Amino acid sequence: MYAEERQRAMAGIIARDRRLSVSTAADSFGVTTETVRRDLAILEHQGLIHRVHGGAVPADVLSTLELAVSERDLEAAEEKERIGRAALDLLPGDCGSILIDSGTTTRRLAGSLPLDRRLTVFTNAASVVTKLAGHTGIEMHLLGGRVRHTTQAAVGPLTVAALSNLRVDVSFLGTNGLSVDRGLTTPDADEAAVKAAMIRAGQRVVVLADSRKLGRETLVRFGTCGQIDVLVTDDGARDADVRDLQALDIDVVVA
């Protein structure tokens, strides 16, 4: 199948099903995820679709769609692993405290935490608790709230209220989009409220985001670039994006 034929087929699927994930398209057409992303970029440039985190939707749909955790976890898996490991250098010292946001990249950080360091960890993600439950050096706290099916994260007034009483050494956050103009964004208002509270709770704010999220904007802003101390991303980040963020006094770590 020629590239043009594949792209037309993708556009047809998106028009019919109102969504298409990168991983599904790669499997269906027998190409790499990088090829699918290039195809989607071309279709978006033509005004036929709108790219969102992990896939694409029709051009007339605002960026409010979120793929399920199981789908997002397959996207840029190697890059997320590198980001999670690189973020270990930003942990506080022994007996320090951290917040770990829900997300497929922040979960990589949780799975890489050192066994020889005592930490107090707060999270709104049951998946993070599962990874750390047997870690004897960690005092684990799961924040309460309503659990969203899409992200499996606790959100809502109870979660925000619990965060309002915290002040941790480092908040590790995920994001759906990060742009110089718009800042940090996510499709859901309840998720945004929790993430904003996590920013306020951290003495230092570290954002873990693979390079596909740089320059992207979604529906609800939960933080500004001025609130970010460090961004950890992968080597797919464009030099221009890195320079723009560094110009805002953000320390950019490329994993």
Side-chain angles (χ1 to χ4, degrees):
M1 181 180 288
Y2 292 112
E4 292 80 3
E5 294 175 308
R6 185 177 61 247
Q7 291 158 14
R8 284 198 298 270
M10 288 182 187
I13 294 171
I14 295 168
R16 182 192 69 207
D17 297 341
R18 309 298 289 172
R19 63 182 288 178
L20 177 66
S21 75
V22 171
S23 57
T24 298
D27 291 341
S28 299
F29 293 98
V31 295
T32 64
T33 55
E34 289 74 16
T35 296
V36 172
R37 293 190 190 100
R38 285 195 294 269
D39 288 340
L40 295 179
I42 291 170
L43 292 172
E44 185 175 49
H45 182 71
Q46 294 171 348
L48 299 176
I49 60 102
H50 179 72
R51 285 188 296 169
V52 296
H53 179 50
V57 296
D60 60 349
V61 176
L62 290 174
S63 53
T64 59
L65 178 67
E66 292 176 275
L67 297 180
V69 170
S70 58
E71 293 178 88
R72 289 188 290 116
D73 200 42
L74 299 174
E75 295 294 328
E78 181 181 338
E79 290 85 349
K80 291 175 181 178
E81 289 289 348
R82 295 204 309 267
I83 291 169
R85 291 194 297 268
L88 294 176
D89 292 336
L90 303 169
L91 289 171
D94 201 37
C95 297
S97 59
I98 63 173
L99 264 167
I100 301 181
D101 187 14
S102 66
T104 56
T105 308
T106 49
R107 189 162 71 239
R108 261 64 172 207
L109 166 64
S112 301
L113 288 179
L115 299 176
D116 59 350
R117 191 174 312 184
R118 291 172 295 173
L119 292 169
T120 300
V121 178
F122 297 86
T123 186
N124 66 328
S127 60
V128 170
V129 175
T130 301
K131 282 189 174 294
L132 299 178
H135 198 318
T136 57
I138 286 180
E139 182 181 307
M140 190 75 240
H141 297 263
L142 176 61
L143 302 171
R146 175 180 64 85
V147 177
R148 292 189 68 222
H149 295 297
T150 304
T151 59
Q152 299 174 16
V155 298
L158 289 176
T159 317
V160 173
L163 286 164
S164 68
N165 295 319
L166 295 179
R167 187 65 168 167
V168 298
D169 293 312
V170 186
S171 288
F172 291 96
L173 276 83
T175 186
N176 295 79
L178 170 57
S179 69
V180 170
D181 294 333
R182 183 73 172 153
L184 297 158
T185 56
T186 193
D188 183 79
D190 287 338
E191 292 265 8
V194 170
K195 290 175 182 291
M198 287 185 168
I199 289 174
R200 293 191 295 270
Q203 294 188 55
R204 199 174 192 210
V205 175
V206 177
V207 175
L208 310 184
D210 66 77
S211 57
R212 298 168 305 144
K213 299 175 184 176
L214 304 186
R216 177 170 294 174
E217 298 179 3
T218 57
L219 189 65
V220 186
R221 182 169 65 176
F222 64 87
T224 66
C225 288
Q227 293 175 295
I228 304 170
D229 294 299
V230 185
L231 166 68
V232 186
T233 188
D234 60 79
D235 56 9
R238 297 184 304 173
D239 291 341
D241 288 332
V242 172
R243 287 195 300 269
D244 289 345
L245 292 168
Q246 289 174 329
L248 298 174
D249 291 328
I250 298 172
D251 183 10
V252 180
V253 176
V254 177

